[in-house]
Amino acid sequence: MPVRKSTVDIKSGRLFPFQFLVLGFIILLSGFAVVGPYMIIGIILIIAGAVILTAHEGTEIMPDSNSYREYNSILFIKTGKGKKYQRIEKIFINPVRVSKTIYTAHTSSSSTFQDVEYNAYLKFSDGEKIFLLSGKNKNRIRNRLKIIAETLNIPLQDNTGAK
């Protein structure tokens, strides 16, 4: 039987899209560049860049106290309200078909691309479900969830239809 940790931290993803991360990196570098001659402006830019680059969301599960919290983390400070649960029933993975339409800049034509993403959820005994994480690589998601399921000693259900 696996050893249970006191806290299981599942990072869902970043709070800002890729374009903002690039902007955050540029702001951070700009802050370092101007911190010598313009100390206050440099510090403000460094903090703003660090906020953008460190912001993410996730879920913490504390099996010892039968509680969990969905959190947002900025500058490694997690904020979120804890909730109690009776029992965790299972973790499950569902496939989701997503589509993205891209328009060209100079013409009125567009292209639509369809893909499959895999969303993982945690289900409690009272029927409540919370989102854990998602991704396009099913094996990576499954391997990550397998470790979490073993740690929490709960089943992992794959609803994708393929092994």
Side-chain angles (χ1 to χ4, degrees):
M1 186 149 123
V3 178
R4 288 175 64 147
K5 288 185 179 179
S6 60
T7 301
V8 178
D9 189 4
I10 306 161
K11 292 180 177 144
S12 301
R14 300 236 178 235
L15 287 177
F16 297 106
F18 178 75
Q19 297 87 342
F20 278 94
L21 295 176
V22 171
L23 180 65
F25 186 71
I26 292 168
I27 291 171
L28 185 70
L29 288 178
S30 301
F32 284 124
V34 301
V35 78
Y38 305 103
M39 175 91 57
I40 294 174
I41 293 172
I43 291 172
I44 291 170
L45 290 174
I46 290 170
I47 291 171
V51 164
I52 293 170
L53 293 175
T54 62
H56 70 273
E57 60 187 343
T59 304
E60 272 185 333
I61 303 167
M62 289 76 70
D64 294 340
S65 61
N66 281 0
S67 62
Y68 73 96
R69 77 171 170 163
E70 295 175 292
Y71 67 83
N72 289 331
S73 175
I74 297 176
L75 295 175
F76 308 108
I77 300 169
K78 297 176 184 175
T79 58
K81 194 170 187 178
K83 297 178 185 174
K84 291 282 193 183
Y85 65 85
Q86 289 285 340
R87 183 175 56 85
I88 300 174
E89 197 172 293
K90 64 184 172 183
I91 295 175
F92 62 96
I93 307 169
N94 287 341
V96 178
R97 195 170 291 284
V98 293
S99 63
K100 183 187 286 188
T101 303
I102 298 175
Y103 297 93
T104 57
H106 299 289
T107 64
S108 61
S109 64
S110 66
S111 297
T112 302
F113 300 96
Q114 291 189 348
D115 204 0
V116 176
E117 282 190 4
Y118 301 95
N119 292 342
Y121 298 90
L122 186 70
K123 183 177 181 187
F124 297 104
S125 57
D126 64 357
E128 182 182 358
K129 299 172 198 144
I130 60 169
F131 173 78
L132 292 179
L133 53 101
S134 74
K136 291 182 181 180
N137 188 328
K138 181 180 133 180
N139 289 330
R140 187 178 296 152
I141 296 278
R142 191 166 174 31
N143 291 337
R144 190 168 166 201
L145 292 174
K146 194 181 211 182
I147 295 167
I148 295 166
E150 287 173 1
T151 303
L152 295 172
N153 198 21
I154 56 174
L156 172 61
Q157 181 178 329
D158 189 345
N159 296 331
T160 61
K163 297 287 179 196

